Amino acid sequence: MSMKIKYWGVRGSLPASPTPEQWALDIRQIFNGFFKAGHRSQDHVDGYLKGLGIPQLGGFGTATTTVEVTSEKGQLIVDGGSGIRNLSEQMMKGPAGRGQANIHIFLTHFHWDHLIGLPFFTPHFISGNRITYYAVQSDLEEMVRSLFRKPNFPVSFEALAADIRFVLLDPRKPILVDDFSVTPYQLDHPDPCWGFRVQHGERVYAHCVDTEGTRVTREHMALDLPLYQNADLMYFDAQYTLPELAEKSNWGHSAAQIGLDIAFRENIKYVLFAHHDPGANTQQIYELKRQTREYFDWKIKTAQNDGVTLPLVKWRFAYEGLEIELK
Ligand SMILES: [Zn+2]
Ligand SMILES: [Zn+2]
């Protein structure tokens, strides 16, 4: 049994294309790297580019939150940010394009960056598809309907060809969908936002964006602590540096260091940091990564000095298109 999690959008707050100046800066970095590595010949260009990861070549991505979770038989979508458009294109090549899909979309909350792609999710327009929306918030149906309304969008909700349904989730109660069990837990966000603990067989994915991580102790997390405990993969909000987090109290976003503290304490095996700031360019996200590495090393060293063994925690900064398989 395995579960795959694909990130179609990892940007926060607003889709953010790099400016022409940023593209120029990124290209300059690639050229500098090529020559620094000692290459001089044009014949080495393809090999050098192949060796670079996606963030070095194309940045961390521009689209906002959309996550696809798949198993052998099932598929869930978390949030409908601008990333859902590319997912939609892929799905239209399968049963969704023939009106034979049964699609499940879980919404964490209704900030624009998590809804903005939904009118462009083409399976809505194909007769025969069934699309079920799930959320804890009682205004779920009204929120989705309002996305398809003139003058903001030309096609009304009533004119959509698919069979669209709404399911309100009970807080902290699991619901079975395909071969997944999904449980909503509350995150720390100015408007109520619910993270999801998605379980398939023995594997657990904890979706924890958007959150400020203001409740750090187990006592404060209280009823929402199970969201984090022993997760195989946690997707965590790391929009800010620690000083920015102090400045932007109540903005509802966190820093990677907060996520690492939770991961070490709650035995989380792998953490992906995301909800990248729309104003952060590739180099700034690499700087966040450097600060996170510094903090991670300091945690390990301090624990060693104190004679404490920390659990192994892997982490990285998520980029658009990243896919993780939990076996
Ligand atoms: Zn957001
Ligand atoms: Zn939000």
Side-chain angles (χ1 to χ4, degrees):
M1 272 193 156
S2 81
M3 173 157 63
K4 276 188 192 157
I5 300 110
K6 180 159 181 179
Y7 294 89
W8 294 85
V10 298
R11 193 60 67 168
S13 305
L14 190 73
S17 300
T19 59
E21 288 81 5
Q22 179 58 39
W23 280 119
L25 193 62
D26 285 356
I27 290 167
R28 193 175 303 128
Q29 297 271 0
I30 293 169
F31 271 110
N32 285 342
F34 180 80
F35 288 111
K36 253 190 207 158
H39 299 295
R40 295 293 175 268
S41 159
Q42 196 180 352
D43 298 343
H44 295 174
V45 170
D46 280 350
Y48 178 73
L49 292 181
K50 266 186 202 141
L52 294 180
I54 284 185
Q56 287 103 319
L57 266 182
F60 287 83
T62 63
T64 62
T65 311
T66 295
V67 180
E68 180 193 18
V69 186
T70 51
S71 63
E72 290 80 359
K73 289 185 191 153
Q75 183 206 41
L76 302 178
I77 298 167
V78 180
D79 281 345
S82 61
I84 207 169
R85 200 190 69 90
N86 285 341
L87 169 57
S88 168
E89 303 230 321
Q90 179 189 279
M91 287 173 67
M92 286 298 290
K93 294 175 194 153
R98 304 188 294 273
Q100 294 167 348
N102 186 11
I103 297 164
H104 307 283
I105 302 179
F106 285 74
L107 298 179
T108 56
H109 67 312
F110 306 142
H111 285 164
W112 286 123
D113 53 319
H114 299 257
L115 301 181
I116 200 168
L118 289 175
F120 303 91
F121 185 62
T122 317
H124 281 128
F125 305 101
I126 310 294
S127 170
N129 285 332
R130 178 189 285 181
I131 302 175
T132 309
Y133 280 94
Y134 303 81
V136 171
Q137 294 88 337
S138 59
D139 49 349
L140 167 65
E141 180 166 353
E142 170 49 26
M143 282 312 305
V144 174
R145 282 176 173 269
S146 71
L147 297 171
F148 299 88
R149 199 168 278 165
K150 286 176 187 292
N152 302 114
F153 195 72
V155 184
S156 72
F157 183 84
E158 290 70 26
L160 298 177
D163 170 11
I164 301 172
R165 300 171 181 211
F166 298 92
V167 173
L168 291 184
L169 301 172
D170 287 324
R172 306 174 190 91
K173 294 241 172 69
I175 182 172
L176 297 178
V177 172
D178 286 346
D179 45 6
F180 302 103
S181 164
V182 184
T183 315
Y185 290 95
Q186 190 155 23
L187 298 170
D188 302 325
H189 209 50
D191 292 309
C193 180
W194 292 79
F196 298 111
R197 182 178 172 96
V198 181
Q199 182 148 6
H200 172 68
E202 298 287 295
R203 293 290 153 258
V204 171
Y205 168 59
H207 183 92
C208 309
V209 165
D210 305 3
T211 192
E212 190 162 338
T214 37
R215 294 173 297 164
V216 285
T217 66
R218 284 185 163 175
E219 290 68 29
H220 285 122
M221 286 177 167
L223 292 176
D224 296 311
L225 180 63
L227 171 60
Y228 308 94
Q229 290 182 305
N230 304 307
D232 295 286
L233 179 67
M234 173 171 76
Y235 189 59
F236 193 80
D237 193 315
Q239 185 159 344
Y240 301 138
T241 62
L242 279 179
E244 282 168 349
L245 181 60
E247 261 170 45
K248 294 181 174 172
S249 142
N250 252 332
W251 285 39
H253 302 292
S254 197
Q257 291 88 339
I258 307 281
L260 279 182
D261 282 351
I262 296 172
F264 279 120
R265 193 187 66 213
E266 302 307 336
N267 191 35
I268 295 169
K269 290 163 199 74
Y270 194 174
V271 189
L272 287 179
F273 295 115
H275 209 271
H276 306 314
D277 195 276
N281 61 33
T282 309
Q283 286 72 36
Q284 283 165 319
I285 297 173
Y286 274 121
E287 171 58 20
L288 286 186
K289 193 175 159 187
R290 190 196 63 74
Q291 292 177 15
T292 308
R293 164 69 54 197
E294 216 169 69
Y295 184 76
F296 179 84
D297 292 344
W298 173 81
K299 289 263 315 178
I300 303 270
K301 208 170 159 210
T302 312
Q304 278 168 352
N305 290 344
D306 296 344
V308 177
T309 312
L310 289 175
L312 283 177
V313 174
K314 264 172 67 174
W315 60 272
R316 75 181 300 165
F317 275 69
Y319 59 85
E320 192 173 313
L322 176 66
E323 190 169 21
I324 305 279
E325 184 170 13
L326 302 177
K327 287 184 193 165

